[in-house]
Amino acid sequence: MADSPTKPPREGSLDAPFRHPIEWRDEAYYDLEAIEKEMERVFDICHGCRRCFNLCDSFPKLFDMVDEGPTGELDGVPKEDYAKVAEACTLCDMCFLTKCPYVPPHEFNLDFPHLILRYRAAKRRAEGGDFVREQLGRTDRNGKLAKPLAGLANWATARENTPLRKLMEAIAGIDAEAELPKYYSKTAEDRLAVPIAPDPAGPAAGKRKVALYATCFVDYNAPDTATAAAKVLARQGVEARLVYPECCGMPQLEAGDLADVAGKAERVARAFAPYIDDGYEVVALTASCGLMMKFEWPLILPENEAVKKLAAATRDICEYVVDIARNEGLAEGLQPVPGGVTVHHACHARAQNMGAKSAEMLRLIPDTKVELVERCSGHGGTFGVMKETRPMAVKVGKPAARQVAQKGSETLCSDCPLACKHLGQLLSAETPDAVQPKQAHPIEIFARAYGVL
């Protein structure tokens, strides 16, 4: 019997893409020489393709270095300059999800963001982490320290406090022009220590119960988001409890500290396991944390059953409300939002491959214009606040801010609260004479349409 013909390679993303587990416990993972060799292979493919030229600044930097080099090819770029490409990456995953035709199962087997993650992890092990960025990333510690001194902390970090912000810039490298998150003395955990009773007449009464993952940002910096989510769910008859064991580890992922991320994943999954076993669904209140729980944690701890169970049970808050609308229907009482809403579809929401659920949810509000902007805000966590990288965050975010300005809505929202803040600041700079839109999380807008916030 003749051998079967070899299956020819297939061009483009014709099969469902997948990602490999992250082998962070293997010593070979941190071999810088091997990593630079893989970067050379991947960068050369990227140079020949260039479909990602209009995403983050990593690709323009790479292509400019190639074009301006002595050979016009990647061999003219010194390997020490690969760090410039890595620094510009915000791990948004847009190249993997929306642009790259060579992701697995393609034989080229490209995963640009996870290659950059590996590079950062190896550099961190070899040289140590960036002290200031790693301190900023200790969100739980920072939130707990700021809580009893919230007013003072907010005064000290306000952009208008020029002397202190200039001092912070000189000492810590935190850009004096970057808007920093505010702190609250009464956190989301404080506000929802007693759960809001579900409406027994709600369409989902007796059918659903939810464990709300507050996230560090919502708990310490945006507690209204948690209150809004709890009140909207209560209106639908959903029993909701706020659960916040600790941060999801996104700041540590960006820094390449994968052991720390793994520890957080194990502890958070363990804390949610009893709720899941008792029939609770898990709802994340920010897109970055939902992405971590659904997709990154299972790749970091692929053998951990509690992590798998949590990933399968987790939904984004807007995704969850849309699911209620489809299956049980929504409680009556939504009122139009005057002036319309522009929704920025954040990269970490897009990377969840669930569709623009925030816009879909807001379109359930009657007689309300909802516009959508699907372009990177450029913020990227500490990337958007450090003096060294903020110019790139501004450069990447300006086109999105211009699109928001063109929509002319009275309200701006994003699945990512930091992206919303960053875009709002860019809008003020780009259109200083225009009336600036109000900023909110999509679920806060939905709660106000119900008149419950």
Side-chain angles (χ1 to χ4, degrees):
M1 181 176 177
D3 292 337
S4 299
T6 303
K7 185 178 179 181
R10 300 179 70 185
E11 174 70 14
S13 299
L14 301 176
D15 296 301
F18 66 87
R19 302 187 102 162
H20 299 291
I22 299 171
E23 303 291 346
W24 62 276
R25 286 170 285 198
D26 187 340
E27 282 301 311
Y29 184 81
Y30 302 93
D31 184 337
L32 271 168
E33 185 176 345
I35 293 168
E36 287 182 347
K37 186 175 181 181
E38 176 65 2
M39 292 172 90
E40 183 178 17
R41 183 186 78 87
V42 170
F43 289 0
D44 196 43
I45 295 171
C46 293
H47 156 54
C49 174
R50 302 203 174 199
R51 297 186 192 189
C52 288
F53 73 94
N54 63 343
L55 291 180
C56 71
D57 216 36
S58 287
F59 299 101
K61 280 185 179 295
L62 172 61
F63 304 149
D64 286 348
M65 287 192 296
V66 170
D67 295 342
E68 294 164 7
T71 67
E73 298 291 343
L74 188 68
D75 60 12
V77 178
K79 284 191 170 56
E80 54 266 27
D81 285 350
Y82 289 2
K84 297 176 183 177
V85 179
E87 177 63 28
C89 176
T90 61
L91 301 182
C92 73
D93 283 342
M94 285 298 95
C95 56
F96 181 91
L97 185 71
T98 68
K99 291 280 188 178
C100 185
Y102 304 124
V103 299
H106 192 281
E107 62 178 336
F108 285 176
N109 196 32
L110 261 64
D111 188 337
F112 188 96
H114 278 185
L115 175 58
I116 298 301
L117 175 63
R118 183 183 174 191
Y119 175 79
R120 289 183 183 174
K123 293 290 281 188
R124 186 181 186 278
R125 173 175 285 198
E127 301 173 5
D130 181 300
F131 178 78
V132 173
R133 287 190 178 188
E134 297 211 356
Q135 297 310 305
L136 288 173
R138 296 182 65 180
T139 52
D140 287 322
R141 181 206 61 185
N142 298 342
K144 289 171 183 174
L145 287 174
K147 179 181 174 179
L149 304 167
L152 180 61
N154 294 337
W155 169 80
T157 58
R159 280 180 62 224
E160 296 76 17
N161 194 338
T162 305
L164 276 179
R165 287 300 301 270
K166 287 292 184 183
L167 184 63
M168 288 172 62
E169 182 176 284
I171 294 173
I174 299 171
D175 197 298
E177 292 302 311
E179 288 278 2
L180 298 179
K182 305 299 182 190
Y183 286 99
Y184 288 80
S185 56
K186 195 170 183 181
T187 64
E189 289 180 281
D190 295 330
R191 298 182 187 198
L192 295 173
V194 177
I196 298 172
D199 184 347
K207 302 175 184 177
R208 293 178 181 247
K209 48 187 182 179
V210 161
L212 289 172
Y213 179 54
T215 79
C216 60
F217 190 89
V218 169
D219 196 28
Y220 303 117
N221 307 114
D224 281 350
T225 302
T227 303
K231 287 187 174 181
V232 167
L233 292 176
R235 188 69 175 261
Q236 314 313 317
V238 179
E239 175 192 332
R241 295 180 177 272
L242 193 77
V243 181
Y244 181 57
E246 60 180 295
C247 170
C248 73
M250 175 63 81
Q252 289 69 39
L253 183 84
E254 292 172 343
D257 189 354
L258 295 172
D260 196 358
V261 179
K264 291 176 182 296
E266 287 178 336
R267 292 187 294 272
V268 173
R270 193 182 310 126
F272 274 103
Y275 290 95
I276 297 170
D277 290 342
D278 197 30
Y280 283 78
E281 297 168 280
V282 178
V283 171
L285 296 179
T286 60
S288 297
C289 306
L291 179 67
M292 290 290 287
M293 296 163 79
K294 290 180 183 180
F295 296 102
E296 298 291 2
W297 286 1
L299 294 173
I300 292 171
L301 294 171
E303 76 292 344
N304 189 302
E305 293 300 324
V307 166
K308 290 180 189 175
K309 187 189 297 185
L310 177 57
T314 298
R315 301 290 180 270
D316 171 81
I317 179 60
C318 300
E319 177 188 18
Y320 193 73
V321 172
V322 168
D323 190 63
I324 293 174
R326 287 177 176 174
N327 289 283
E328 288 88 13
L330 291 178
E332 296 181 357
L334 286 166
Q335 298 298 314
V337 177
V341 183
T342 293
V343 179
H344 169 250
H345 193 193
C347 296
H348 283 168
R350 294 173 68 191
Q352 293 181 46
N353 205 22
M354 60 184 176
K357 293 301 178 185
S358 50
E360 191 175 342
M361 179 187 76
L362 292 173
R363 287 179 178 134
L364 297 170
I365 302 172
D367 303 319
T368 298
K369 181 189 74 169
V370 177
E371 303 278 7
L372 185 65
V373 170
E374 287 193 309
R375 193 150 186 173
C376 181
S377 74
H379 192 276
T382 57
F383 188 85
V385 302
M386 301 305 294
K387 182 72 174 177
E388 183 181 6
T389 51
R390 188 168 185 273
M392 281 187 277
V394 171
K395 174 185 173 183
V396 173
K398 276 186 176 180
R402 293 188 190 113
Q403 286 187 14
V404 171
Q406 290 167 3
K407 303 298 184 184
S409 302
E410 290 186 13
T411 303
L412 167 65
C413 68
S414 175
D415 312 275
C416 172
L418 288 172
C420 191
K421 184 181 289 292
H422 184 61
L423 286 173
Q425 188 175 353
L426 293 179
L427 270 175
S428 297
E430 289 285 301
T431 57
D433 298 326
V435 176
Q436 299 302 316
K438 301 183 289 290
Q439 298 174 31
H441 188 285
I443 197 64
E444 294 175 28
I445 298 169
F446 208 69
R448 288 175 188 142
Y450 267 124
V452 297
L453 188 66

